[in-house]
Amino acid sequence: MTRIFPQYTYGNGPRDGCWWDETVKTSVRPALARDTKCDVAIVGAGFTGLSAALHLAQRGAKVIVLDANSAGWGASGRNGGFCCLGGSMSSDAALDRQYSHAARHEWRKTERFAVELVETLINSLSIDVDRHSHGETCLAHKPRAFEQLKEEAASIYENYGVEPDVLPPSELASAGLSGPFHGALTIPIGFGLNPRKYLDGLIKACLRLGVAIYDNSPALNVTSGTVKTPEGVVRAEQIVVATNGYSSEDTLPWMAARYMPAQSTVIVTRPLTAAELQDQGWSSDQMCYDTRHLLHYFRLMPDRRFLFGMRGGLLSGPKAEKAARSKVVRDFRSMFPTWSHVDVTHAWSGLVCLSRDRVPYVGPVPGMPGVLTGFAYHGNGVAMGTYTGYALAALASGQEPDRYPSVMSNAASRFPLGRFRRLLMPPVYAGFGLNDALP
Ligand SMILES: Cc1cc2nc3c(=O)[nH]c(=O)nc-3n(C[C@H](O)[C@H](O)[C@H](O)COP(=O)(O)OP(=O)(O)OC[C@H]3O[C@@H](n4cnc5c(N)ncnc54)[C@H](O)[C@@H]3O)c2cc1C
C-alpha cells in the first residue's frame, strides 16, 4: 500500500499508550483466509465502516467487514471522545457562497442529526459509554475571540435550532471553567463518551446481526465487485471503502490525493483529586475546546482523569512522536499551571482526515459502479462518521438516504502535489500559529 506518511504512522508506535486500551478488553478476530461472497463488503472497521455494516445488517444484507489491522484500530479507537457537531472546516459564509444558503441549512441539520443518531444507537443498543457533558463549550483564548464567539452565537439558532449560552469572563469561575480564557459559548448539542466503549457496542451489535468482521485483512485492491486481500477475495454486489485518514493511494486509485491525513495527539492524566480540582477552579464536566485554529480540546472525564489533546505535528517517526507528546504536555501544563505536578499517564496520536473542499464526501466512487466511499470529517468523526455509515448503508441498498446534504455529495477535489501533498501543510500551520498568537 502506498501511503503519504512514513510507515511508522501506520504501525502501533503512535497508538502505544492509548488510555482507551485500559478501558475495554479487545479481542483479535481471524484474518480472511479464503474466497467468499456477500451482498456488501466493507473495507475499514471504524465508525464509518461499522455504522454502515450495522445499518446494512439491520436491512437484512449479508455483510463482510475487512480491516487491515483490527476493528477500531484507526482514528475511531483513539480519539478524544467528543460526540459533537462539525465535520467541515467551512464557515457559514463560505458554505453559502460555495453551495447555497439552503444547502448550508441542510448540512447544519445533518450535523445535528449525526449527534442524535449516536445517541439513538447508544440508547437502543444499551451501550454504556461513560457519557457526560451537556453539549460543547468553546472557550475564547483571547478577548477578540470572545467578540467573535458572541457574533457566532447569533447564527447558532438559525443553524441548529437551539439557543447557545454565552458566558462572559467574569462568570467562568462560577461555572467551574477557570483558566486562561476570555469568555465561553456553549452549544447544547453533543456529549463526551469513551469512543472504545461505543465501538465495542457497535461491533457486538454487528456480530449479533451476523456481520463477519475480519482483522489483519488489508484490501490490496478494490474493483467493482471484488476486494482482494492477501489470502482471499471477497465478491460483493456493493463495496464500501471506509478507510478515511488511513487510506492508501493505490487500494482505490480514485482516492489518491483526495484526502489529507493530519496528526492529532492526546494525553490523559491520573485521576485528579477534589483538592486539585478546587485549586484550579475546574469543576465542569463540559467537553471544551479553545478558539485557536490549532485548537486544544479537553474534558474532565467521569473518573476525574483529564483528557487534553491538540492538532499539529507535521513529521512522523519515534522522535517526532515523542516531540508531539511533549508539546501537548507543555501546553496542558501552561494552560492549567496548578496541575504541573500531576502525572500524565497516557499519550498517543492518530490521523484525522481533511479534504480540499473542507467538507466531507459521501457517495459513489465515479467510474466504479457498486463502489461507495465516505471520508474527511475534519477531526469530528464520532458523530459524522456514524452518520456517513448510515448514509452509505442506504446508498448501498439502492436508496437515497433520508438526509443527504448536497454539501457532502459533491465529488471531492484532488489536492495539488499528489503523494507529496503533505508539503502543503507547513505553511498552513505556520499561518494558523501566527493568527492564534495575534492579540
Ligand atoms: C487523536 C484523535 C482525536 C480525535 N478526536 C475526536 C473527537 O474528540 N471527536 C470526534 O468527533 N472526532 C475525533 N477524531 C476524529 C475521528 O476519530 C475520526 O474522524 C473517525 O474516527 C473516523 O472514522 P472512520 O471509520 O472513517 O476511520 P478510522 O477509524 O480511521 O478507520 C479506518 C480503518 O481503515 C482501516 N484500513 C485502512 N486501509 C485499509 C485497507 N486497505 N484494507 C482494510 N482496512 C484498511 C484502518 O486499519 C482503520 O481501522 C479524532 C481523531 C484522532 C486521530
Side-chain angles (χ1 to χ4, degrees):
M1 284 191 263
T2 309
R3 263 112 166 224
I4 74 160
F5 269 92
Q7 198 45 41
Y8 176 83
T9 320
Y10 305 97
N12 283 325
R15 203 176 187 288
D16 281 349
C18 180
W19 163 242
W20 310 123
D21 285 342
E22 318 246 351
T23 64
V24 176
K25 200 170 160 297
T26 44
S27 37
V28 178
R29 279 159 287 270
L32 179 76
R34 64 189 168 90
D35 292 354
T36 185
K37 280 201 308 198
C38 62
D39 298 324
V40 186
I42 296 176
V43 181
F47 294 134
T48 307
L50 292 169
S51 166
L54 177 67
H55 288 103
L56 279 159
Q58 285 172 340
R59 290 164 175 261
K62 184 178 175 210
V63 182
I64 289 179
V65 182
L66 304 162
D67 199 283
N69 300 281
S70 55
W73 179 91
S76 300
R78 54 174 116 171
N79 58 71
F82 285 51
C83 177
C84 54
L85 298 167
S88 110
M89 273 174 62
S90 283
S91 64
D92 284 352
L95 290 169
D96 287 355
R97 219 175 24 249
Q98 200 177 343
Y99 303 96
S100 70
H101 188 72
R104 187 241 295 181
H105 273 278
E106 217 187 347
W107 159 249
R108 296 293 184 210
K109 277 194 197 126
T110 306
E111 285 179 60
R112 181 172 179 177
F113 173 75
V115 174
E116 288 164 356
L117 181 62
V118 176
E119 181 156 34
T120 304
L121 286 173
I122 288 168
N123 292 339
S124 62
L125 300 171
S126 303
I127 313 174
D128 177 3
V129 294
D130 302 335
R131 178 182 172 149
H132 69 94
S133 187
H134 300 287
E136 55 184 332
T137 297
C138 183
L139 290 154
H141 77 286
K142 55 187 176 187
R144 197 155 64 91
F146 184 51
E147 296 310 310
Q148 283 160 355
L149 281 184
K150 284 196 276 188
E151 281 166 29
E152 218 178 275
S155 63
I156 302 296
Y157 186 81
E158 188 203 355
N159 277 330
Y160 303 115
V162 292
E163 289 293 351
D165 193 16
V166 178
L167 223 56
S170 56
E171 289 177 28
L172 290 177
S174 59
L177 294 164
S178 296
F181 309 118
H182 301 269
L185 174 79
T186 295
I187 303 177
I189 299 173
F191 50 94
L193 52 68
N194 175 328
R196 200 68 73 73
K197 290 192 176 176
Y198 174 44
L199 264 167
D200 193 51
L202 292 181
I203 292 169
K204 286 181 176 145
C206 283
L207 295 175
R208 280 197 298 273
L209 289 171
V211 173
I213 303 176
Y214 293 100
D215 290 343
N216 296 309
S217 303
L220 303 175
N221 182 249
V222 173
T223 58
S224 290
T226 61
V227 181
K228 189 166 176 262
T229 73
E231 293 178 64
V233 175
V234 182
R235 289 179 205 289
E237 297 282 313
Q238 298 283 324
I239 295 166
V240 169
V241 176
T243 49
N244 212 345
Y246 287 89
S247 297
S248 44
E249 300 289 274
D250 48 357
T251 307
L252 177 63
W254 177 84
M255 287 285 288
R258 294 184 203 271
Y259 63 98
M260 176 77 87
Q263 298 178 90
S264 193
T265 303
V266 180
I267 60 168
V268 164
T269 68
R270 65 156 166 77
L272 294 157
T273 64
E276 285 165 344
L277 291 170
Q278 198 175 358
D279 284 352
Q280 174 59 41
W282 192 278
S283 57
S284 173
D285 78 345
Q286 280 298 105
M287 53 181 189
C288 299
Y289 59 99
D290 67 18
T291 40
R292 289 178 172 84
H293 287 90
L294 290 174
L295 60 85
H296 300 98
Y297 46 93
F298 38 96
R299 60 189 179 99
L300 181 63
M301 296 191 285
D303 64 359
R304 308 286 92 177
R305 287 177 185 268
F306 203 76
L307 178 149
F308 185 95
M310 73 179 290
R311 298 265 178 82
L314 291 158
L315 301 172
S316 176
K319 264 169 96 176
E321 180 66 27
K322 206 169 155 202
R325 294 180 185 195
S326 302
K327 159 89 175 121
V328 181
V329 172
R330 273 200 311 279
D331 281 22
F332 162 66
R333 298 211 191 285
S334 101
M335 200 177 274
F336 299 103
T338 60
W339 295 338
S340 306
H341 63 288
V342 172
D343 291 335
V344 170
T345 53
H346 295 79
W348 68 94
S349 70
L351 296 176
V352 302
C353 186
L354 322 176
S355 74
R356 188 175 182 193
D357 310 285
R358 299 172 148 240
V359 293
Y361 176 70
V362 56
V365 173
M368 293 186 77
V371 182
L372 299 152
T373 188
F375 59 95
Y377 316 131
H378 300 87
N380 290 295
V382 173
M384 196 44 71
T386 305
Y387 160 76
T388 298
Y390 164 91
L392 287 166
L395 292 169
S397 310
Q399 286 167 8
E400 177 94 351
D402 53 5
R403 277 169 196 279
Y404 191 22
S406 53
V407 165
M408 291 179 86
S409 61
N410 281 282
S413 325
R414 280 180 202 270
F415 283 98
L417 306 186
R419 8 181 331 211
F420 302 103
R421 61 191 178 280
R422 275 174 61 212
L423 294 172
L424 298 167
M425 294 304 277
V428 173
Y429 279 7
F432 281 169
L434 206 65
N435 200 297
D436 288 342
L438 287 174

